[in-house]
Amino acid sequence: MSPASTGAPTIVGAVSTVPDSRMTPGGPGYRRMSLALFLAGVSTFALLYSTQALLPLISGDFGVTASEASWTVAAATGGLALFVIPMSALSERYGRRTIMTASLVVAVTVALLVPFAPSLTALVALRAVQGAALAGVPASATAYLAEEVRPTALITAIGLFVAGNSVGGMSGRVITGWVAQEWGWRAALGALGLVAVGCAVAFRLLLPAPAHFTRGSLRPRVLARTVRDHLANPLLRRLYAIGALFMTVFGGVYTVIGYRLTQAPFSLPQGVVGSIFLVYLVGTVSASAAGRLVGRLGRRGALYLGGGTTAAGLLLSLADSLPLVLPGLVLITAGFFAGHAVASSAVSKTAAHGRAQASALYQSAYYIGSSVGSTAGAVAFHAGGWAGTVGVGLLAVAGVVGITVLGTLAAARTGTAARTA
């Protein structure tokens, strides 16, 4: 009896002709999946940085210093960085969609409690829990995409998720800033919490059930071996470093830019400074275009372009002229989000197993870069003004370019295809 008559897949040599059932642009479920993960990205970044634009108001309300109030941001990002690998292990066992749903449920529940925090200590504790819960989204999202989307569409799909991050990061600062101006920081965080609830509900209703997930193990020894394998991979190590360095630039610039713009020669009011974060919308476009950039330039070419664009923006921002500083921020934002989308998608594509752990390691490096950039950028600003912050950023960009050059040389030695990072 022939294979055709039995309905079995035809085998030619060792190659199966079973059609690839994973999602692709224009195919069933792809649009729903893209919108669901876009909304998950919006919720994650909006909640993660929700207090950043409100720090002066929080400081005044509780009678604490700015450095003490800043722990409301550090606690959330620290909680995410600490829990992203454990959450990735849970997603290997219980599924990507299950963990992302549980993470958003806990995070938005905490978001509705945050406005009622009676003290700074309580607020910081709630924010730490919220960050730890949110860790399940980035730990699982790229692994879900790597399993459910065809490789040819993976970079574009991850770019849309990163675009959601940029919209969330922008809304978490701009919306809360304007609401707080009228009704205070507690009302602002409450309003943002309600927006996040709507995004979480829509995410769960829209995201298609996984069709290609294979349950993994929760044994610590297996997890440790998987993490060790990823860290032993030179390509993954380069990608982790690239993500951290890009975020070092971004964290430093956007931590300090408010100080610069409220001082002479700009002296902008706080509301206008908050609206500067609308520049994040540029990141939505550049992250979404990452797939096309890689298609035209190759992965390394796209990273060179992202680094060069970021460096050009840093240099342009040195001018004491707002019509030059704003385009500089546009270039920095576009270069960062493009580079981040390319690097994060490359991690998912490179990892042959344990994709959630591979993605989690990238996220850990990414948020470590955010912490380093925020601290180093602020220290450099107080020591040497905006030029000091730009200097830190340029050093980080030089690191991105140098690591990418190492990848180019390694590929040349091994005869790897030109598009391997």
Side-chain angles (χ1 to χ4, degrees):
M1 186 176 294
S2 69
S5 64
T6 62
T10 303
I11 305 295
V12 180
V15 180
S16 172
T17 59
V18 175
D20 191 339
S21 61
R22 289 174 291 181
M23 287 182 278
T24 189
Y30 184 87
R31 184 173 298 178
R32 289 176 55 215
M33 176 275 298
S34 298
L35 179 57
L37 289 177
F38 178 86
L39 293 173
V42 168
S43 295
T44 299
F45 260 53
L47 293 176
L48 191 62
Y49 292 103
S50 58
T51 61
Q52 191 173 58
L54 306 174
L55 293 180
L57 297 177
I58 293 172
S59 181
D61 192 20
F62 289 125
V64 298
T65 64
S67 61
E68 291 172 317
S70 69
W71 277 101
T72 62
V73 178
T77 55
L80 191 152
L82 186 63
F83 277 83
V84 69
I85 292 179
M87 285 291 192
S88 73
L90 291 175
S91 81
E92 293 282 6
R93 178 66 176 175
Y94 298 108
R96 322 303 185 191
R97 189 172 72 159
T98 299
I99 295 302
M100 285 189 283
T101 301
S103 293
L104 288 174
V105 167
V106 174
V108 300
T109 300
V110 174
L112 298 178
L113 297 175
V114 161
F116 303 100
S119 66
L120 180 66
T121 300
L123 179 58
V124 169
L126 287 170
R127 292 283 291 152
V129 173
Q130 192 172 51
L134 287 170
V137 178
S140 305
T142 52
Y144 174 93
L145 290 168
E147 292 164 351
E148 306 299 329
V149 175
R150 293 185 189 181
T152 54
L154 181 60
I155 295 177
T156 299
I158 290 180
L160 289 172
F161 174 66
V162 174
N165 294 169
S166 70
V167 171
M170 176 270 294
S171 63
R173 294 164 171 91
V174 176
I175 295 175
T176 54
W178 287 107
V179 173
Q181 183 172 300
E182 297 296 327
W183 297 288
W185 68 267
R186 294 180 185 272
L189 293 180
L192 192 65
L194 292 176
V195 171
V197 168
C199 289
V201 171
F203 162 82
R204 186 59 180 85
L205 293 175
L206 288 169
L207 190 68
H212 301 277
F213 170 70
T214 301
R215 190 182 301 273
S217 172
L218 272 178
R219 289 179 294 172
R221 189 172 297 178
V222 174
L223 176 61
R225 184 168 60 247
T226 301
V227 170
R228 187 171 60 248
D229 289 346
H230 291 327
L231 291 176
N233 185 320
L235 172 53
L236 288 177
R237 288 202 304 269
R238 290 196 295 270
L239 293 170
Y240 297 152
I242 286 170
L245 288 167
F246 266 122
M247 193 55 167
T248 296
V249 181
F250 199 68
V253 165
Y254 278 100
T255 294
V256 173
I257 191 63
Y259 292 102
R260 187 188 186 205
L261 294 179
T262 55
Q263 297 175 0
F266 305 104
S267 302
L268 298 178
Q270 191 63 48
V272 175
V273 171
S275 297
I276 295 296
F277 288 100
L278 288 168
V279 171
Y280 269 43
L281 292 174
V282 176
T284 304
V285 176
S286 65
S288 300
R292 292 193 296 274
L293 283 176
V294 173
R296 292 182 180 181
L297 304 174
R299 194 178 298 159
R300 289 193 299 272
L303 289 172
Y304 286 132
L305 179 61
T309 301
T310 303
L314 287 167
L315 293 173
L316 192 59
S317 73
L318 286 169
D320 288 331
S321 169
L322 195 60
L324 294 178
V325 171
L326 290 180
L329 291 176
V330 167
L331 291 176
I332 292 167
T333 304
F336 161 73
F337 275 104
H340 169 42
V342 171
S344 60
S345 61
V347 168
S348 293
K349 197 170 182 179
T350 300
H353 68 287
R355 288 191 178 97
Q357 282 76 48
S359 175
L361 287 168
Y362 178 85
Q363 295 295 330
S364 292
Y366 178 80
Y367 285 104
I368 288 170
S370 177
S371 298
V372 170
S374 298
T375 303
V379 169
F381 180 75
H382 289 298
W386 181 250
T389 301
V390 168
V392 170
L394 289 173
L395 283 174
V397 171
V400 169
V401 174
I403 291 169
T404 307
V405 168
L406 289 177
T408 302
L409 296 175
R413 286 195 302 269
T414 60
T416 307
R419 293 185 182 181
T420 302

